Amino acid sequence: WFGGLMERLWKSRMQRRNFQEEIDTHRLLLAFNYYVQWKKNPHEPRPAILDTVRPANEQLTKMGYVEKRVRLVQEMNAQVRRLMEEAHRTGGCDPYPRPKAPLAVPEHLRDRFDGNETLVEEALEAMLEEETKRQEAEVEDRPLGHPDGFTLRINYSGVHHPDAGFGVWVEGEAAAGTVVGFYPGAVHLPDDVHRVAEGNEYMISRYDGTVVDGKGWAAEAVLLRRRLRQLAAAGGSVRMPSELELNRYRNPFAVANYINHPPPGAAANVMCMGYDFPAIDDEDALPEDLLSFVPNRNAKEQKTLSFWFGGGAMRSVVAVLTRPVRDEELFLNYRFNPRNPYPAWYVQPDEDEALRRW
């Protein structure tokens, strides 16, 4: 009887999760419908565009989930291709600001201060101010132009808690249904997740159990940036990184790992959804010159371009706007599992939704 009970509980849990996945799919299709109408009539007032979404909602409610999913993939494929083409056209750029270095007053200065802690604190404050200026200069130097005419920028978040750090901002106006970027990182299949999940708040889970781990991705990009400078200075016959090693960190839209959870009183304006870059034999497959900008890698094996030519598809996650935004910070509902303890800063926007998700 225990085995039967566990089977029923598992089926119930999967039914709730499937229901939430269908809700998310429906919401994104409505957003994509808004996007399509906005592209046709970019100067049309918002209420007029919303009038076209209502009949689309009636149509979607009559569709089965499989048909919805096929349509969702088609919409994502079209926008993803545009982003990848833009990354290739511009040559890509490393979008990540340098993390703040751990600061400590050098020993020779401590000796000079002769144990005066006030002077030590003042020196640390001056170093922190200088480090902040360097960061701000880097942020200002990295506007990320989106093909739909607005700019993405990683800048200091407006969320007021110590762990917020940087956030992603839209400068200009962007329509609902816009794919704003990718969640970069190492891809873990379901049977491998337990090794890296504990204490990691930079992992995002797809409905199929795949997890993308963005922890350390920006730091890897910064280290690669430093290594390239060193190699350029060394010259000679030093081996430079391959196109795949370099460009996966130079996709200017791979910034969804910087999107913060909404603070109290704010609502999410972004939703993340699992996305598979099409296999090489798929009619929607990306051409070879775009593949190196895919900002993910499989965690267990370092895949090369031969992986794509072998017919595989890289699993990923895309970030999509769920409403129009103008000159504001992006927020993503992290949907932490309500059965686990929350971090002190986390506020659950919708517990029923989270319970269905998990």
Side-chain angles (χ1 to χ4, degrees):
W1 67 270
F2 182 75
L5 174 62
M6 293 304 294
E7 183 179 356
R8 289 194 298 274
L9 289 174
W10 176 253
K11 285 182 179 178
S12 174
R13 181 181 176 187
M14 292 304 297
Q15 286 170 351
R16 292 196 304 270
R17 181 178 295 181
N18 292 343
F19 178 53
Q20 187 59 49
E21 183 178 10
E22 186 160 356
I23 291 173
D24 289 350
T25 300
H26 189 99
R27 286 181 61 196
L28 285 182
L29 283 174
L30 286 176
F32 281 131
N33 182 81
Y34 183 102
Y35 178 84
V36 169
Q37 298 303 321
W38 173 80
K39 290 290 285 184
K40 290 178 180 176
N41 304 287
H43 304 295
E44 192 82 19
R46 284 186 188 177
I49 295 177
L50 288 173
D51 287 342
T52 68
V53 173
R54 294 187 181 97
N57 183 50
E58 295 177 6
Q59 181 183 4
L60 286 172
T61 55
K62 300 174 184 177
M63 294 170 58
Y65 173 71
V66 173
E67 187 179 357
K68 287 181 182 178
R69 184 66 196 179
V70 169
R71 190 160 162 185
L72 182 69
V73 170
Q74 290 172 343
E75 297 289 349
M76 291 192 292
N77 280 346
Q79 290 199 52
V80 163
R81 177 177 284 264
R82 290 185 66 219
L83 294 186
M84 300 295 281
E85 288 173 344
E86 181 69 8
H88 178 262
R89 184 188 69 80
T90 60
C93 73
D94 172 356
Y96 310 111
R98 179 180 55 181
K100 281 185 178 175
L103 300 179
V105 177
E107 285 300 322
H108 72 278
L109 285 182
R110 284 185 174 273
D111 293 341
R112 187 187 304 174
F113 296 150
D114 195 26
N116 188 322
E117 289 303 317
T118 300
L119 292 177
V120 171
E121 289 179 11
E122 289 175 354
L124 276 173
E125 287 179 7
M127 292 169 65
L128 179 60
E129 183 178 350
E130 187 63 28
E131 179 73 9
T132 300
K133 285 180 181 177
R134 282 197 292 266
Q135 269 196 331
E136 288 174 345
E138 286 200 358
V139 166
E140 289 303 313
D141 286 342
R142 287 186 169 81
L144 311 169
H146 193 281
D148 282 333
F150 60 90
T151 298
L152 293 169
R153 193 185 295 274
I154 298 177
N155 209 335
Y156 296 109
S157 175
V159 178
H160 301 296
H161 66 72
D163 294 330
F166 289 108
V168 180
W169 296 75
V170 165
E171 296 176 355
E173 186 170 8
T178 302
V179 175
V180 290
F182 308 98
Y183 198 97
V187 179
H188 296 267
L189 298 181
D191 60 353
D192 189 42
V193 170
H194 65 281
R195 296 191 305 109
V196 291
E198 188 173 352
N200 188 348
E201 296 173 1
Y202 292 89
M203 304 187 75
I204 188 165
S205 176
R206 304 180 358 154
Y207 278 106
D208 63 2
T210 300
V211 166
V212 180
D213 179 12
K215 188 175 184 179
W217 188 264
E220 291 173 23
V222 172
L223 286 174
L224 179 60
R225 189 190 313 167
R226 184 182 306 161
R227 180 184 169 203
L228 287 173
R229 286 199 298 265
Q230 293 169 343
L231 291 175
S237 59
V238 180
R239 188 189 78 84
M240 296 294 285
S242 69
E243 186 179 65
L244 181 64
E245 290 174 302
L246 179 62
N247 286 347
R248 63 159 57 117
Y249 295 106
R250 293 182 58 80
N251 188 321
F253 308 108
V255 296
N257 52 325
Y258 278 89
I259 301 177
N260 277 307
H261 182 77
N269 48 24
V270 167
M271 181 186 294
C272 280
M273 178 60 78
Y275 175 78
D276 293 347
F277 284 94
I280 198 67
D281 56 354
D282 192 291
E283 62 179 11
D284 293 314
L286 296 173
E288 178 184 346
D289 55 358
L290 305 186
L291 292 178
S292 63
F293 286 97
V294 173
N296 302 98
R297 66 167 183 270
N298 285 319
K300 280 195 170 181
E301 297 177 285
Q302 296 295 321
K303 297 296 186 181
T304 63
L305 285 176
S306 63
F307 167 70
W308 299 96
F309 303 141
M314 181 66 75
R315 301 186 191 191
S316 188
V317 170
V318 296
V320 184
L321 291 180
T322 54
R323 64 167 178 81
V325 301
R326 182 199 295 268
D327 297 326
E328 57 189 282
E329 185 173 0
L330 300 182
F331 292 121
L332 165 70
N333 180 0
Y334 286 3
R335 278 188 188 164
F336 283 170
N337 190 335
R339 299 177 180 87
N340 298 330
Y342 294 146
W345 51 263
Y346 184 81
V347 177
Q348 181 63 267
D350 189 328
E351 189 162 349
D352 290 339
E353 185 179 89
L355 282 169
R356 288 194 297 268
R357 170 65 182 87
W358 295 102

